[in-house]
Amino acid sequence: MRVGIIGAGAMGRAMARRAARAGSIVRLADRSAGRARLVARETMAGTPGVVEASSIRAALRPGLVILALDRADSLEFLRRHGRLLAGKVLVEVTAPRTDAYGTDAYGTDPCGADPCGADAYGPDPCAAGRSGSGASGAGMGDLMAVVPGASWVRACAAGDAESIYRGLIDGHPVDIFVAADDESAKIRVIELANRSGLRALDAGRLDRARVLDELTSLGREISHRLAAPEGWAIKLLPSW
């Protein structure tokens, strides 16, 4: 399978690792070409897949594209490049920042560790947060409205990026909850996740996307209160 990933930050790094573990050919694009190259080399090591740093246009060629950006960045990116994404399977893997910590859904401050100047995705992604805009709290509906011709999938690995990169939490595969209205698109993402070493669970239709955002926010807050240094993940334990 060929996979495009937009963003080589903490979550993009984790997604590239998982896709490479699944044997995929990954095209990774980032506003920093140097970071994309470093992440590509790291995430491909010891896997059956291939991860290559690429241009945005090359990363958008595969039929399945993962958005690993902050929601505000995703909106700006889609406004610029959405015309290239009609008919694609678009996978959203982040959640809006809605808590008091000022962090994104996976425990990293997008306006801290990474430079916040103008980039390949559009205007300064931190300016919206400083000006009080709600862009970083955007929901799936806001993204979908920009590219209505895509098959949208919400994939919520309810854990931090480092746990997803490792693929295990407390010795068990990290769960990823997958919601979509397009069943064939959902199956493609579930199969990719399972091959990568995660455990994918069907979370229903896209009307569950907000619930998955809240699940991630809850897990993040609990992890902060526990000061969990080794990462965190929410695990579903069915009694079969």
Side-chain angles (χ1 to χ4, degrees), residues 3-15:
V3 177
I5 299 178
I6 306 301
M11 185 51 60
R13 169 179 173 267
M15 290 293 110

Side-chain angles (χ1 to χ4, degrees), residues 19-106:
R21 287 291 301 270
S24 299
I25 298 172
V26 181
R27 302 288 181 258
L28 177 65
D30 190 82
R31 62 189 177 191
S32 166
R35 177 167 62 179
R37 286 192 294 269
L38 288 172
V39 169
R41 285 197 296 268
E42 177 193 4
T43 55
M44 186 173 63
T47 75
V50 175
V51 183
E52 295 180 350
S54 76
S55 67
I56 291 173
R57 187 171 291 273
L60 297 183
R61 287 191 188 119
L64 190 150
V65 176
I66 297 172
L67 295 174
L69 303 170
D70 175 78
R71 285 273 172 92
D73 250 348
S74 289
L75 278 172
E76 291 299 334
F77 179 84
L78 293 173
R79 287 166 182 158
R80 288 192 167 208
H81 303 285
R83 67 189 182 282
L84 302 175
L85 293 167
K88 307 280 187 179
V89 174
L90 286 185
V91 187
E92 163 66 349
V93 296
T94 63
R97 292 169 300 161
T98 57
D99 63 27
Y101 300 106
T103 57
D104 68 16
Y106 302 99

Side-chain angles (χ1 to χ4, degrees), residues 82-177:
R83 67 189 182 282
L84 302 175
L85 293 167
K88 307 280 187 179
V89 174
L90 286 185
V91 187
E92 163 66 349
V93 296
T94 63
R97 292 169 300 161
T98 57
D99 63 27
Y101 300 106
T103 57
D104 68 16
Y106 302 99
T108 56
D109 185 352
C111 298
D114 292 337
C116 285
D119 57 39
Y121 308 126
D124 181 349
C126 301
R130 288 192 293 264
S131 65
S133 167
S136 59
M140 279 289 294
D142 298 291
L143 303 182
M144 294 168 63
V146 182
V147 191
S151 294
W152 282 92
V153 179
R154 176 71 171 99
C156 170
D160 69 342
E162 188 58 32
S163 295
I164 298 163
Y165 182 89
R166 293 195 305 264
L168 296 173
I169 190 76
D170 197 25
H172 299 283
V174 171
D175 285 347
I176 181 167
F177 305 96

Side-chain angles (χ1 to χ4, degrees), residues 169-175 177 199 201 233-240:
I169 190 76
D170 197 25
H172 299 283
V174 171
D175 285 347
F177 305 96
R199 185 180 71 157
L201 299 168
I234 292 175
K235 184 76 177 170
L236 183 68
L237 299 174
S239 178
W240 285 329

